[in-house]
Amino acid sequence: MSKADLIVGLQWGDEGKGKIVDHMAQTHDYVCRFAGGHNAGHTIVIGDKKYALHLIPSGVLNPKAKNIVGNGVVISPKDFIKEMEQFENLEGRLFLSDKAHILLPYHALIDQARERMKGDKAIGTTGKGIGPAYGDKIARVGHRLGELLCPDKLTEKIMAYFETNKTIFEAMEVELPSERGLLEELEGYKTILAPYIVDTTKMMWDILAEDKRVLLEGAQGTMLDIDHGTYPYVTSSTTVSAGACSGLGLSPKDLGKVTGIAKAYCTRVGNGPFPSEDLGAEGDILRKNGHEFGTTTGRPRRCGWFDAVAMRHAVRVNGADQVALMKLDVLDGFNEVKVCVAYEVDGKEIDYVPYDLEDATPVYQRFPGWDKTKGVREFEALPKNAQSYILALEEMIGTKMGIISTSPDRDDTIIR
Ligand code: IMP
């Protein structure tokens, strides 16, 4: 019986999970997604071809790997089908859980309407309908992928749902499809997706029993987790390790090595607290050097310094056995590099993530900068100041940085 290795984001998403998952997908038989939807995204470049992945697991780029999208994911059939078009011969190597919830265009319209109505209190969602789709699931009025196999029955249920919520939809100015339009839409999805819809829970148990090498691919990051992030400025799913169990039908005993991914600095998209954000010139340099613009929305990301307090919280919540420190080279050339080592809240210094981070200001420790780490492939070959920075971070967060990435290139990776 094998155990499933897990990759999770330790910050606010966009930590560079794509590079590590892509690297690990080469040695795993199965790659599985357990949470989120097409709000996630990364681009992988192979040769002169660029692939945009949002919902399909990264194992799709390894012809030998199979890919599972678990019950914890919300699937937009329309966007999923578009994503599938980048690849050939997916049948037999892509499996969708019959228990995953369906996200339809009206969910996106509700998401956008709610954001509009919130005005300056908006979350800054991706506008893809993630919150409304998970909301329906939790309120027990959602629909699962298995139901797509009977489009007429599903249409009937959705039309009844529209009827019950008619006044709300009208107030939100959400345009709903006609019964006929909806039926045709669902029939179209069924034709394409039916061969991929299976009981992935049983499948997960079988492949672990067969000793297959299984990799679980997290989406977003710990600080965007519905329970452990900066609520309400979070996404609507369980992004931490525990979500991998419920999102795929595994028990905690099925989990193997947990690798947490973190950047050598911090970014966040959307609104909400970000204590170590740098709104000055140095933040701009991080954004420019790190190409910090969203893959899914193209939005400029907010940038700031490594937050060791939030990282300790994330390492503990996820049970990270090691951290992969990404984009170290983006810090090249700074005279001084800062790390947030505590927060000040109401005049008191604290070393943990409080209930509300809104009024927390950072307490920084400063480290001397370095010239160049870009492309370095051995720890000992890094500039001494970069080595000291990493060793100090390890001390602060209590976990080894087992992987260090020094450029987007697959090979520019230090394995310790
Ligand atoms: P939602 O997931 O679209 O509801 O957005 C909720 C919050 O999560 C917003 O701040 C988004 O910017 C953020 N978010 C969602 N997905 C990602 C991601 O893949 N990377 C970074 N931030 C994300």
Side-chain angles (χ1 to χ4, degrees), residues 12-15 17 36-42 111 115 123-132 134 219-221 224 232-237 267-272 294-297 299 301-302:
W12 278 278
D14 308 315
E15 296 91 350
K17 293 182 284 295
H38 65 303
N39 48 349
H42 52 255
D111 192 359
E115 286 284 275
I123 293 166
T125 71
T126 59
K128 307 269 175 189
I130 306 299
Y134 275 113
Q220 287 87 38
L224 288 173
Y233 298 97
V234 292
T235 190
S236 297
S237 59
T267 63
R268 118 164 258 180
V269 258
N271 302 326
T295 357
T296 301
T297 58
R299 289 182 288 181
R301 296 178 183 142
R302 299 159 63 191

mmCIF file of all heavy atoms in Angstrom, residues 12-15 17 36-42 111 115 123-132 134 219-221 224 232-237 267-272 294-297 299 301-302, ligand 1:
data_model
loop_
_atom_site.group_PDB
_atom_site.id
_atom_site.type_symbol
_atom_site.label_atom_id
_atom_site.label_comp_id
_atom_site.label_asym_id
_atom_site.label_seq_id
_atom_site.Cartn_x
_atom_site.Cartn_y
_atom_site.Cartn_z
ATOM 1 N N TRP A 12 -0.186 33.001 -0.148
ATOM 2 C CA TRP A 12 -1.496 33.404 -0.694
ATOM 3 C C TRP A 12 -1.666 32.903 -2.121
ATOM 4 O O TRP A 12 -2.219 33.590 -2.971
ATOM 5 C CB TRP A 12 -1.631 34.923 -0.640
ATOM 6 C CG TRP A 12 -2.045 35.466 0.690
ATOM 7 C CD1 TRP A 12 -3.325 35.545 1.177
ATOM 8 C CD2 TRP A 12 -1.215 36.031 1.712
ATOM 9 N NE1 TRP A 12 -3.323 36.114 2.434
ATOM 10 C CE2 TRP A 12 -2.044 36.419 2.782
ATOM 11 C CE3 TRP A 12 0.169 36.235 1.834
ATOM 12 C CZ2 TRP A 12 -1.560 37.004 3.951
ATOM 13 C CZ3 TRP A 12 0.645 36.818 2.995
ATOM 14 C CH2 TRP A 12 -0.202 37.194 4.033
ATOM 15 N N GLY A 13 -1.177 31.709 -2.411
ATOM 16 C CA GLY A 13 -1.248 31.186 -3.774
ATOM 17 C C GLY A 13 -0.119 31.747 -4.625
ATOM 18 O O GLY A 13 0.669 32.590 -4.154
ATOM 19 N N ASP A 14 -0.016 31.236 -5.842
ATOM 20 C CA ASP A 14 1.010 31.698 -6.790
ATOM 21 C C ASP A 14 2.429 31.534 -6.257
ATOM 22 O O ASP A 14 3.313 32.327 -6.563
ATOM 23 C CB ASP A 14 0.789 33.184 -7.173
ATOM 24 C CG ASP A 14 -0.623 33.436 -7.651
ATOM 25 O OD1 ASP A 14 -1.118 32.629 -8.448
ATOM 26 O OD2 ASP A 14 -1.245 34.422 -7.207
ATOM 27 N N GLU A 15 2.655 30.509 -5.456
ATOM 28 C CA GLU A 15 3.983 30.315 -4.874
ATOM 29 C C GLU A 15 4.959 29.705 -5.871
ATOM 30 O O GLU A 15 6.158 29.626 -5.608
ATOM 31 C CB GLU A 15 3.910 29.392 -3.641
ATOM 32 C CG GLU A 15 3.110 29.929 -2.466
ATOM 33 C CD GLU A 15 1.649 29.506 -2.539
ATOM 34 O OE1 GLU A 15 1.231 28.961 -3.579
ATOM 35 O OE2 GLU A 15 0.923 29.729 -1.547
ATOM 36 N N LYS A 17 3.947 26.603 -7.418
ATOM 37 C CA LYS A 17 3.675 25.162 -7.286
ATOM 38 C C LYS A 17 3.855 24.458 -8.614
ATOM 39 O O LYS A 17 4.294 23.321 -8.671
ATOM 40 C CB LYS A 17 2.234 24.932 -6.783
ATOM 41 C CG LYS A 17 2.001 25.395 -5.368
ATOM 42 C CD LYS A 17 0.588 25.087 -4.914
ATOM 43 C CE LYS A 17 -0.461 26.013 -5.473
ATOM 44 N NZ LYS A 17 -0.384 27.421 -5.047
ATOM 45 N N GLY A 36 -10.595 23.546 -5.047
ATOM 46 C CA GLY A 36 -10.565 24.731 -5.913
ATOM 47 C C GLY A 36 -11.255 24.458 -7.238
ATOM 48 O O GLY A 36 -11.942 23.441 -7.420
ATOM 49 N N GLY A 37 -11.052 25.388 -8.156
ATOM 50 C CA GLY A 37 -11.690 25.252 -9.466
ATOM 51 C C GLY A 37 -10.801 25.907 -10.491
ATOM 52 O O GLY A 37 -9.573 25.896 -10.326
ATOM 53 N N HIS A 38 -11.424 26.551 -11.492
ATOM 54 C CA HIS A 38 -10.594 27.180 -12.523
ATOM 55 C C HIS A 38 -10.157 28.591 -12.128
ATOM 56 O O HIS A 38 -9.706 29.365 -12.963
ATOM 57 C CB HIS A 38 -11.264 27.115 -13.897
ATOM 58 C CG HIS A 38 -12.540 27.887 -14.016
ATOM 59 N ND1 HIS A 38 -13.626 27.666 -13.196
ATOM 60 C CD2 HIS A 38 -12.913 28.874 -14.859
ATOM 61 C CE1 HIS A 38 -14.603 28.496 -13.532
ATOM 62 N NE2 HIS A 38 -14.184 29.232 -14.549
ATOM 63 N N ASN A 39 -10.287 28.908 -10.824
ATOM 64 C CA ASN A 39 -9.652 30.121 -10.288
ATOM 65 C C ASN A 39 -8.136 29.929 -10.213
ATOM 66 O O ASN A 39 -7.376 30.875 -10.269
ATOM 67 C CB ASN A 39 -10.212 30.470 -8.893
ATOM 68 C CG ASN A 39 -10.254 29.294 -7.933
ATOM 69 O OD1 ASN A 39 -10.056 28.150 -8.328
ATOM 70 N ND2 ASN A 39 -10.512 29.562 -6.683
ATOM 71 N N ALA A 40 -7.701 28.673 -10.052
ATOM 72 C CA ALA A 40 -6.269 28.372 -10.000
ATOM 73 C C ALA A 40 -5.707 28.426 -11.413
ATOM 74 O O ALA A 40 -6.452 28.383 -12.379
ATOM 75 C CB ALA A 40 -6.061 26.977 -9.435
ATOM 76 N N GLY A 41 -4.394 28.521 -11.510
ATOM 77 C CA GLY A 41 -3.844 28.459 -12.863
ATOM 78 C C GLY A 41 -2.352 28.575 -12.887
ATOM 79 O O GLY A 41 -1.763 29.306 -12.097
ATOM 80 N N HIS A 42 -1.729 27.808 -13.753
ATOM 81 C CA HIS A 42 -0.321 28.042 -14.035
ATOM 82 C C HIS A 42 -0.021 27.690 -15.479
ATOM 83 O O HIS A 42 -0.739 26.941 -16.117
ATOM 84 C CB HIS A 42 0.601 27.312 -13.052
ATOM 85 C CG HIS A 42 0.330 25.863 -12.900
ATOM 86 N ND1 HIS A 42 -0.299 25.347 -11.787
ATOM 87 C CD2 HIS A 42 0.601 24.821 -13.700
ATOM 88 C CE1 HIS A 42 -0.406 24.046 -11.922
ATOM 89 N NE2 HIS A 42 0.124 23.696 -13.070
ATOM 90 N N ASP A 111 -21.255 35.589 -8.622
ATOM 91 C CA ASP A 111 -19.969 36.003 -8.033
ATOM 92 C C ASP A 111 -19.699 37.465 -8.379
ATOM 93 O O ASP A 111 -19.417 38.308 -7.498
ATOM 94 C CB ASP A 111 -18.872 35.088 -8.632
ATOM 95 C CG ASP A 111 -17.531 35.188 -7.925
ATOM 96 O OD1 ASP A 111 -17.421 35.978 -6.972
ATOM 97 O OD2 ASP A 111 -16.588 34.472 -8.328
ATOM 98 N N GLU A 115 -19.712 40.858 -5.881
ATOM 99 C CA GLU A 115 -18.533 41.722 -5.777
ATOM 100 C C GLU A 115 -18.915 43.172 -6.058
ATOM 101 O O GLU A 115 -18.494 44.076 -5.337
ATOM 102 C CB GLU A 115 -17.442 41.250 -6.749
ATOM 103 C CG GLU A 115 -16.738 39.975 -6.306
ATOM 104 C CD GLU A 115 -15.737 40.221 -5.190
ATOM 105 O OE1 GLU A 115 -14.592 40.588 -5.479
ATOM 106 O OE2 GLU A 115 -16.119 40.037 -4.008
ATOM 107 N N ILE A 123 -14.054 41.306 -2.224
ATOM 108 C CA ILE A 123 -12.975 40.373 -1.893
ATOM 109 C C ILE A 123 -11.876 40.437 -2.956
ATOM 110 O O ILE A 123 -10.712 40.204 -2.674
ATOM 111 C CB ILE A 123 -13.552 38.938 -1.795
ATOM 112 C CG1 ILE A 123 -14.503 38.855 -0.586
ATOM 113 C CG2 ILE A 123 -12.455 37.877 -1.676
ATOM 114 C CD1 ILE A 123 -15.372 37.619 -0.565
ATOM 115 N N GLY A 124 -12.296 40.796 -4.160
ATOM 116 C CA GLY A 124 -11.332 40.752 -5.268
ATOM 117 C C GLY A 124 -11.233 39.334 -5.793
ATOM 118 O O GLY A 124 -10.147 38.838 -6.080
ATOM 119 N N THR A 125 -12.379 38.656 -5.928
ATOM 120 C CA THR A 125 -12.371 37.266 -6.406
ATOM 121 C C THR A 125 -11.952 37.224 -7.874
ATOM 122 O O THR A 125 -11.877 38.266 -8.537
ATOM 123 C CB THR A 125 -13.774 36.609 -6.309
ATOM 124 O OG1 THR A 125 -14.615 37.203 -7.313
ATOM 125 C CG2 THR A 125 -14.393 36.793 -4.940
ATOM 126 N N THR A 126 -11.746 36.021 -8.360
ATOM 127 C CA THR A 126 -11.402 35.871 -9.775
ATOM 128 C C THR A 126 -12.657 36.031 -10.645
ATOM 129 O O THR A 126 -12.558 36.045 -11.868
ATOM 130 C CB THR A 126 -10.784 34.484 -10.044
ATOM 131 O OG1 THR A 126 -11.747 33.495 -9.649
ATOM 132 C CG2 THR A 126 -9.500 34.291 -9.259
ATOM 133 N N GLY A 127 -13.819 36.114 -10.016
ATOM 134 C CA GLY A 127 -15.068 36.309 -10.754
ATOM 135 C C GLY A 127 -15.507 35.067 -11.521
ATOM 136 O O GLY A 127 -16.356 35.141 -12.405
ATOM 137 N N LYS A 128 -14.947 33.912 -11.146
ATOM 138 C CA LYS A 128 -15.231 32.686 -11.910
ATOM 139 C C LYS A 128 -16.422 31.908 -11.357
ATOM 140 O O LYS A 128 -16.773 30.856 -11.888
ATOM 141 C CB LYS A 128 -14.008 31.766 -11.897
ATOM 142 C CG LYS A 128 -12.733 32.436 -12.357
ATOM 143 C CD LYS A 128 -12.545 32.269 -13.833
ATOM 144 C CE LYS A 128 -11.335 33.033 -14.286
ATOM 145 N NZ LYS A 128 -11.201 33.094 -15.711
ATOM 146 N N GLY A 129 -16.959 32.351 -10.221
ATOM 147 C CA GLY A 129 -18.121 31.647 -9.662
ATOM 148 C C GLY A 129 -17.775 30.634 -8.588
ATOM 149 O O GLY A 129 -18.619 29.806 -8.197
ATOM 150 N N ILE A 130 -16.551 30.684 -8.082
ATOM 151 C CA ILE A 130 -16.093 29.685 -7.114
ATOM 152 C C ILE A 130 -16.917 29.734 -5.814
ATOM 153 O O ILE A 130 -17.423 28.703 -5.354
ATOM 154 C CB ILE A 130 -14.580 29.888 -6.800
ATOM 155 C CG1 ILE A 130 -13.748 29.889 -8.094
ATOM 156 C CG2 ILE A 130 -14.080 28.877 -5.780
ATOM 157 C CD1 ILE A 130 -13.793 28.637 -8.918
ATOM 158 N N GLY A 131 -17.064 30.934 -5.249
ATOM 159 C CA GLY A 131 -17.812 31.076 -3.989
ATOM 160 C C GLY A 131 -19.253 30.588 -4.126
ATOM 161 O O GLY A 131 -19.714 29.765 -3.329
ATOM 162 N N PRO A 132 -20.004 31.072 -5.129
ATOM 163 C CA PRO A 132 -21.388 30.598 -5.287
ATOM 164 C C PRO A 132 -21.491 29.082 -5.519
ATOM 165 O O PRO A 132 -22.415 28.441 -5.024
ATOM 166 C CB PRO A 132 -21.888 31.387 -6.499
ATOM 167 C CG PRO A 132 -21.088 32.651 -6.458
ATOM 168 C CD PRO A 132 -19.723 32.247 -5.975
ATOM 169 N N TYR A 134 -19.366 26.662 -4.413
ATOM 170 C CA TYR A 134 -19.138 26.000 -3.116
ATOM 171 C C TYR A 134 -20.269 26.325 -2.147
ATOM 172 O O TYR A 134 -20.641 25.504 -1.314
ATOM 173 C CB TYR A 134 -17.799 26.420 -2.514
ATOM 174 C CG TYR A 134 -16.611 25.614 -3.018
ATOM 175 C CD1 TYR A 134 -15.634 26.196 -3.801
ATOM 176 C CD2 TYR A 134 -16.472 24.255 -2.691
ATOM 177 C CE1 TYR A 134 -14.541 25.466 -4.259
ATOM 178 C CE2 TYR A 134 -15.386 23.521 -3.148
ATOM 179 C CZ TYR A 134 -14.424 24.131 -3.927
ATOM 180 O OH TYR A 134 -13.351 23.408 -4.379
ATOM 181 N N ALA A 219 -4.151 23.590 -4.677
ATOM 182 C CA ALA A 219 -4.360 24.841 -5.418
ATOM 183 C C ALA A 219 -4.481 25.974 -4.404
ATOM 184 O O ALA A 219 -4.781 25.745 -3.233
ATOM 185 C CB ALA A 219 -5.629 24.750 -6.260
ATOM 186 N N GLN A 220 -4.223 27.201 -4.855
ATOM 187 C CA GLN A 220 -4.200 28.376 -3.973
ATOM 188 C C GLN A 220 -3.213 28.145 -2.808
ATOM 189 O O GLN A 220 -2.318 27.333 -2.946
ATOM 190 C CB GLN A 220 -5.612 28.726 -3.452
ATOM 191 C CG GLN A 220 -6.508 29.339 -4.512
ATOM 192 C CD GLN A 220 -7.263 28.321 -5.330
ATOM 193 O OE1 GLN A 220 -7.702 27.323 -4.817
ATOM 194 N NE2 GLN A 220 -7.437 28.578 -6.598
ATOM 195 N N GLY A 221 -3.429 28.827 -1.694
ATOM 196 C CA GLY A 221 -2.457 28.701 -0.604
ATOM 197 C C GLY A 221 -3.131 28.743 0.755
ATOM 198 O O GLY A 221 -4.329 29.055 0.864
ATOM 199 N N LEU A 224 -5.255 31.561 1.994
ATOM 200 C CA LEU A 224 -6.537 31.720 1.295
ATOM 201 C C LEU A 224 -7.508 30.607 1.691
ATOM 202 O O LEU A 224 -8.597 30.495 1.126
ATOM 203 C CB LEU A 224 -6.323 31.687 -0.224
ATOM 204 C CG LEU A 224 -5.639 32.901 -0.868
ATOM 205 C CD1 LEU A 224 -5.359 32.632 -2.345
ATOM 206 C CD2 LEU A 224 -6.488 34.152 -0.725
ATOM 207 N N PRO A 232 -12.770 37.251 5.698
ATOM 208 C CA PRO A 232 -13.446 36.651 4.543
ATOM 209 C C PRO A 232 -12.677 36.805 3.230
ATOM 210 O O PRO A 232 -13.201 36.443 2.186
ATOM 211 C CB PRO A 232 -14.749 37.444 4.482
ATOM 212 C CG PRO A 232 -14.363 38.812 4.950
ATOM 213 C CD PRO A 232 -13.286 38.609 5.985
ATOM 214 N N TYR A 233 -11.467 37.342 3.307
ATOM 215 C CA TYR A 233 -10.679 37.548 2.079
ATOM 216 C C TYR A 233 -9.930 36.265 1.723
ATOM 217 O O TYR A 233 -8.699 36.200 1.814
ATOM 218 C CB TYR A 233 -9.742 38.742 2.257
ATOM 219 C CG TYR A 233 -10.501 40.022 2.495
ATOM 220 C CD1 TYR A 233 -10.710 40.504 3.784
ATOM 221 C CD2 TYR A 233 -11.065 40.719 1.435
ATOM 222 C CE1 TYR A 233 -11.441 41.664 4.001
ATOM 223 C CE2 TYR A 233 -11.799 41.874 1.642
ATOM 224 C CZ TYR A 233 -11.990 42.343 2.926
ATOM 225 O OH TYR A 233 -12.724 43.481 3.133
ATOM 226 N N VAL A 234 -10.658 35.262 1.393
ATOM 227 C CA VAL A 234 -10.118 33.922 1.136
ATOM 228 C C VAL A 234 -10.867 33.318 -0.044
ATOM 229 O O VAL A 234 -11.836 33.904 -0.532
ATOM 230 C CB VAL A 234 -10.323 33.005 2.380
ATOM 231 C CG1 VAL A 234 -9.460 33.472 3.541
ATOM 232 C CG2 VAL A 234 -11.791 32.951 2.792
ATOM 233 N N THR A 235 -10.457 32.139 -0.456
ATOM 234 C CA THR A 235 -11.251 31.426 -1.444
ATOM 235 C C THR A 235 -12.232 30.526 -0.681
ATOM 236 O O THR A 235 -12.263 30.544 0.558
ATOM 237 C CB THR A 235 -10.354 30.656 -2.430
ATOM 238 O OG1 THR A 235 -11.182 30.187 -3.506
ATOM 239 C CG2 THR A 235 -9.619 29.488 -1.785
ATOM 240 N N SER A 236 -13.036 29.735 -1.378
ATOM 241 C CA SER A 236 -14.118 29.033 -0.679
ATOM 242 C C SER A 236 -13.837 27.560 -0.436
ATOM 243 O O SER A 236 -14.755 26.803 -0.157
ATOM 244 C CB SER A 236 -15.414 29.194 -1.474
ATOM 245 O OG SER A 236 -15.757 30.552 -1.529
ATOM 246 N N SER A 237 -12.567 27.162 -0.526
ATOM 247 C CA SER A 237 -12.272 25.736 -0.337
ATOM 248 C C SER A 237 -11.215 25.520 0.737
ATOM 249 O O SER A 237 -10.596 26.470 1.213
ATOM 250 C CB SER A 237 -11.802 25.117 -1.654
ATOM 251 O OG SER A 237 -10.640 25.783 -2.114
ATOM 252 N N THR A 267 3.499 37.398 -2.122
ATOM 253 C CA THR A 267 2.577 38.144 -2.986
ATOM 254 C C THR A 267 1.146 37.765 -2.616
ATOM 255 O O THR A 267 0.909 36.735 -1.985
ATOM 256 C CB THR A 267 2.761 37.802 -4.486
ATOM 257 O OG1 THR A 267 2.451 36.418 -4.692
ATOM 258 C CG2 THR A 267 4.156 38.100 -4.978
ATOM 259 N N ARG A 268 0.225 38.619 -3.014
ATOM 260 C CA ARG A 268 -1.191 38.244 -2.912
ATOM 261 C C ARG A 268 -1.951 38.980 -3.996
ATOM 262 O O ARG A 268 -1.576 40.089 -4.370
ATOM 263 C CB ARG A 268 -1.669 38.477 -1.473
ATOM 264 C CG ARG A 268 -2.757 39.473 -1.185
ATOM 265 C CD ARG A 268 -3.367 39.309 0.205
ATOM 266 N NE ARG A 268 -4.649 38.613 0.059
ATOM 267 C CZ ARG A 268 -5.464 38.295 1.056
ATOM 268 N NH1 ARG A 268 -5.146 38.588 2.294
ATOM 269 N NH2 ARG A 268 -6.598 37.681 0.820
ATOM 270 N N VAL A 269 -2.994 38.334 -4.531
ATOM 271 C CA VAL A 269 -3.890 39.032 -5.459
ATOM 272 C C VAL A 269 -5.225 39.197 -4.761
ATOM 273 O O VAL A 269 -5.573 38.402 -3.909
ATOM 274 C CB VAL A 269 -4.158 38.283 -6.795
ATOM 275 C CG1 VAL A 269 -3.362 38.853 -7.922
ATOM 276 C CG2 VAL A 269 -3.960 36.815 -6.669
ATOM 277 N N GLY A 270 -5.947 40.216 -5.133
ATOM 278 C CA GLY A 270 -7.221 40.440 -4.477
ATOM 279 C C GLY A 270 -6.999 41.242 -3.207
ATOM 280 O O GLY A 270 -5.864 41.599 -2.859
ATOM 281 N N ASN A 271 -8.099 41.509 -2.499
ATOM 282 C CA ASN A 271 -8.019 42.371 -1.317
ATOM 283 C C ASN A 271 -7.793 41.559 -0.057
ATOM 284 O O ASN A 271 -7.767 40.340 -0.095
ATOM 285 C CB ASN A 271 -9.308 43.189 -1.220
ATOM 286 C CG ASN A 271 -9.500 44.012 -2.484
ATOM 287 O OD1 ASN A 271 -8.522 44.474 -3.073
ATOM 288 N ND2 ASN A 271 -10.741 44.168 -2.917
ATOM 289 N N GLY A 272 -7.647 42.277 1.059
ATOM 290 C CA GLY A 272 -7.472 41.605 2.341
ATOM 291 C C GLY A 272 -6.107 41.862 2.930
ATOM 292 O O GLY A 272 -5.207 42.354 2.254
ATOM 293 N N GLY A 294 -1.124 38.020 -12.485
ATOM 294 C CA GLY A 294 -1.906 36.780 -12.390
ATOM 295 C C GLY A 294 -2.015 36.001 -13.695
ATOM 296 O O GLY A 294 -2.203 36.612 -14.742
ATOM 297 N N THR A 295 -1.921 34.649 -13.581
ATOM 298 C CA THR A 295 -2.082 33.802 -14.770
ATOM 299 C C THR A 295 -3.544 33.716 -15.181
ATOM 300 O O THR A 295 -3.863 33.619 -16.359
ATOM 301 C CB THR A 295 -1.663 32.325 -14.499
ATOM 302 O OG1 THR A 295 -1.171 32.206 -13.192
ATOM 303 C CG2 THR A 295 -0.684 31.824 -15.504
ATOM 304 N N THR A 296 -4.441 33.734 -14.197
ATOM 305 C CA THR A 296 -5.854 33.558 -14.510
ATOM 306 C C THR A 296 -6.513 34.887 -14.873
ATOM 307 O O THR A 296 -7.349 34.939 -15.760
ATOM 308 C CB THR A 296 -6.578 32.887 -13.312
ATOM 309 O OG1 THR A 296 -5.939 31.641 -13.083
ATOM 310 C CG2 THR A 296 -8.037 32.657 -13.576
ATOM 311 N N THR A 297 -6.127 35.963 -14.191
ATOM 312 C CA THR A 297 -6.822 37.239 -14.409
ATOM 313 C C THR A 297 -5.916 38.325 -14.985
ATOM 314 O O THR A 297 -6.423 39.371 -15.389
ATOM 315 C CB THR A 297 -7.379 37.763 -13.066
ATOM 316 O OG1 THR A 297 -6.274 37.905 -12.166
ATOM 317 C CG2 THR A 297 -8.398 36.818 -12.462
ATOM 318 N N ARG A 299 -4.103 40.242 -13.354
ATOM 319 C CA ARG A 299 -3.996 41.361 -12.405
ATOM 320 C C ARG A 299 -2.577 41.474 -11.835
ATOM 321 O O ARG A 299 -1.948 40.447 -11.563
ATOM 322 C CB ARG A 299 -4.943 41.131 -11.220
ATOM 323 C CG ARG A 299 -6.400 41.274 -11.556
ATOM 324 C CD ARG A 299 -7.272 41.090 -10.331
ATOM 325 N NE ARG A 299 -7.322 39.695 -9.893
ATOM 326 C CZ ARG A 299 -8.027 39.271 -8.852
ATOM 327 N NH1 ARG A 299 -8.697 40.128 -8.116
ATOM 328 N NH2 ARG A 299 -8.047 38.000 -8.531
ATOM 329 N N ARG A 301 0.067 41.548 -9.070
ATOM 330 C CA ARG A 301 -0.006 41.022 -7.702
ATOM 331 C C ARG A 301 0.588 42.021 -6.722
ATOM 332 O O ARG A 301 1.540 42.732 -7.057
ATOM 333 C CB ARG A 301 0.763 39.704 -7.608
ATOM 334 C CG ARG A 301 0.143 38.629 -8.477
ATOM 335 C CD ARG A 301 0.936 37.325 -8.411
ATOM 336 N NE ARG A 301 0.341 36.350 -9.318
ATOM 337 C CZ ARG A 301 1.041 35.494 -10.059
ATOM 338 N NH1 ARG A 301 2.360 35.466 -9.992
ATOM 339 N NH2 ARG A 301 0.424 34.654 -10.854
ATOM 340 N N ARG A 302 0.033 42.068 -5.520
ATOM 341 C CA ARG A 302 0.611 42.875 -4.445
ATOM 342 C C ARG A 302 1.878 42.154 -3.979
ATOM 343 O O ARG A 302 1.869 40.920 -3.867
ATOM 344 C CB ARG A 302 -0.402 43.005 -3.310
ATOM 345 C CG ARG A 302 -1.689 43.701 -3.753
ATOM 346 C CD ARG A 302 -2.861 43.389 -2.823
ATOM 347 N NE ARG A 302 -2.655 43.870 -1.474
ATOM 348 C CZ ARG A 302 -3.437 43.533 -0.443
ATOM 349 N NH1 ARG A 302 -4.464 42.702 -0.623
ATOM 350 N NH2 ARG A 302 -3.193 44.007 0.765
HETATM 351 P P1 IMP B 1 -12.102 33.189 -5.644
HETATM 352 O O1 IMP B 1 -11.349 31.950 -5.376
HETATM 353 O O2 IMP B 1 -12.243 33.508 -7.101
HETATM 354 O O3 IMP B 1 -13.417 33.244 -4.928
HETATM 355 O O4 IMP B 1 -11.256 34.426 -5.054
HETATM 356 C C1 IMP B 1 -11.074 34.605 -3.649
HETATM 357 C C2 IMP B 1 -9.677 35.121 -3.343
HETATM 358 O O5 IMP B 1 -8.714 34.100 -3.656
HETATM 359 C C3 IMP B 1 -9.258 36.333 -4.163
HETATM 360 O O6 IMP B 1 -8.409 37.136 -3.364
HETATM 361 C C4 IMP B 1 -8.464 35.724 -5.301
HETATM 362 O O7 IMP B 1 -7.550 36.655 -5.847
HETATM 363 C C5 IMP B 1 -7.755 34.603 -4.573
HETATM 364 N N1 IMP B 1 -7.364 33.491 -5.458
HETATM 365 C C6 IMP B 1 -8.150 32.534 -5.989
HETATM 366 N N2 IMP B 1 -7.445 31.683 -6.726
HETATM 367 C C7 IMP B 1 -6.171 32.084 -6.659
HETATM 368 C C8 IMP B 1 -4.948 31.580 -7.195
HETATM 369 O O8 IMP B 1 -4.889 30.562 -7.895
HETATM 370 N N3 IMP B 1 -3.834 32.288 -6.887
HETATM 371 C C9 IMP B 1 -3.857 33.381 -6.094
HETATM 372 N N4 IMP B 1 -4.971 33.879 -5.567
HETATM 373 C C10 IMP B 1 -6.117 33.246 -5.836
#
